Amino acid sequence: MSKISKIEKLPRQPGKATGVANAFAFLTADHEAGMRAGISEIAPGEVDFELPFDEGIFVVEGELEIDGDGATHVIAAGEFLWMPGGRRIVYRAKTPTRFLYMIPTHG
């Protein structure tokens, strides 16, 4: 049986910083939870991204636009979006935005 796992402090080691966005992981692929998760912050601007994996996004603060599948999806604070992998997307924020990302690593 797995044990309850508490993350004591959110590591402040940005993932792929682009000048517009930073990602701070608190669950990594090697954790027994079977998922990667963290907080991303995006300043006004956009990030073009090849999404090789499935990803869930929960917006905590602000509003995020995601272009994908020929449409723009607007996710406001308190809303969740699931994106199957294997597509090119654009993350866009018009105001500072913070969101939780969740990426399954197996299953």
Side-chain angles (χ1 to χ4, degrees):
M1 175 183 282
S2 297
K3 295 180 180 181
I4 294 174
S5 180
K6 178 182 176 185
I7 308 301
E8 294 292 334
K9 185 175 182 181
L10 184 65
R12 286 304 198 180
Q13 299 174 352
K16 296 180 180 177
T18 63
V20 174
N22 288 299
F24 306 97
F26 54 83
L27 282 180
T28 58
D30 59 345
H31 192 277
E32 67 182 316
M35 66 182 295
R36 291 185 286 162
I39 299 287
S40 284
E41 298 170 341
I42 183 167
E46 63 182 45
V47 177
D48 187 86
F49 186 68
E50 185 68 38
L51 188 69
F53 40 70
D54 295 344
E55 181 177 29
I57 301 265
F58 178 80
V59 175
V60 176
E61 180 180 315
E63 184 175 88
L64 189 62
E65 295 179 1
I66 296 180
D67 293 345
D69 293 340
T72 297
H73 308 273
V74 179
I75 310 100
E79 294 182 333
F80 179 83
L81 179 77
W82 179 256
M83 298 179 290
R87 67 199 67 237
R88 182 165 266 331
I89 60 171
V90 175
Y91 295 94
R92 183 180 308 105
K94 296 178 181 172
T95 61
T97 299
R98 180 177 290 168
F99 59 93
L100 171 69
Y101 65 86
M102 297 147 279
I103 302 164
T105 57
H106 60 72

